[in-house]
Amino acid sequence: MEGVKIFEVRFHGRGGMGAWTATQILALAAIREGKHAQSFPLFGPEREGAPVEAYARISTEPIRLHCMIESPDAVVVLDPTLMDVVEVSEGLKENGYLIVNSRDPPSSIREKLRLSPSVKVFTVPATDIAVEILGRGITNTAMLGAFARATNVIKLESLTQVVTELFTSKLGREVAEKNVKVIRRAYEEVKG
């Protein structure tokens, strides 16, 4: 986060995929590192599977903003089919990051979305990783690992510590350990 005071992130997912949980984990990891953070969703009574958005702000100084994020520094796409129904890159800052759950190379995503050459595009086969390790295509923790590697805004160890603590208390040690494995694997496999 060299020289950046506030780093804003928008997650695109579908209801039930854990986009908001991902931003909460991201915010808790930032706080663990001594930063300031916010996490909030944008959804109503949508049914499971409907497009949703969730947001996070990370700052080295207290955050006084309490509004929607219009021009994110990074966009994280949990479900690649959303690129066909939502303008996921809308408002993305020049020199921003687009991190997509996809087997495709970053160049294919750049071409499909007609992105500016300044946008840094990363892909990771998050669904494949999640199905292999978790037995389900829940991609939020995989995308956090990819986000950490792509942006260097948050440390991998901060994410894994938060997931270990949070998931162990709510879902049990086995689920926590599997999700940590997912994060680490996505961190290693992200392409950009």
Side-chain angles (χ1 to χ4, degrees):
M1 286 181 52
E2 309 89 42
V4 175
K5 290 191 177 180
I6 297 180
F7 192 93
E8 297 180 314
V9 187
R10 181 175 68 223
F11 277 67
H12 287 276
R14 292 189 182 276
M17 292 182 81
W20 187 23
T21 298
T23 62
Q24 291 172 313
I25 292 167
L26 186 58
L28 290 169
I31 291 166
R32 179 176 290 271
E33 293 179 8
K35 298 171 185 160
H36 302 268
Q38 293 176 339
S39 163
F40 52 99
L42 174 65
F43 57 79
E46 285 89 350
R47 62 178 171 34
E48 188 170 311
V52 298
E53 295 177 14
Y55 303 88
R57 283 190 178 100
I58 299 170
S59 178
T60 54
E61 297 178 5
I63 300 170
R64 308 234 186 274
L65 293 172
H66 297 287
C67 58
M68 297 306 300
I69 294 173
E70 302 292 332
S71 297
D73 296 284
V75 171
V76 180
V77 182
L78 276 63
D79 179 344
T81 66
L82 288 168
M83 293 186 296
D84 297 326
V85 294
V86 176
E87 287 190 47
V88 296
S89 62
E90 184 178 3
L92 182 61
K93 288 180 182 169
E94 287 292 318
N95 300 309
Y97 300 85
L98 178 67
I99 306 149
V100 180
N101 167 15
S102 178
R103 293 178 184 147
D104 294 336
S107 59
S108 293
I109 304 298
R110 177 181 303 285
E111 187 177 311
K112 177 179 182 159
L113 299 179
R114 298 182 183 143
L115 297 171
S116 158
S118 72
V119 174
K120 300 164 200 77
V121 181
F122 296 83
T123 60
V124 65
T127 301
D128 295 343
I129 294 168
V131 168
E132 180 186 326
I133 297 170
L134 302 174
R136 300 174 60 195
I138 304 295
T139 61
N140 60 346
T141 53
M143 295 309 291
L144 285 170
F147 173 85
R149 179 72 178 265
T151 66
N152 293 311
V153 168
I154 205 82
K155 293 180 178 108
L156 176 65
E157 291 310 312
S158 301
L159 287 173
T160 60
Q161 289 168 1
V162 168
V163 166
T164 297
E165 292 169 10
L166 191 63
F167 284 29
T168 298
S169 68
K170 292 186 176 190
L171 304 169
R173 178 172 292 288
E174 182 181 351
V175 172
E177 288 172 354
K178 285 182 178 181
N179 277 277
V180 166
K181 189 174 180 182
V182 165
I183 290 170
R184 291 186 184 283
R185 177 92 164 273
Y187 183 91
E188 293 302 323
E189 290 191 22
V190 69
K191 295 179 191 117

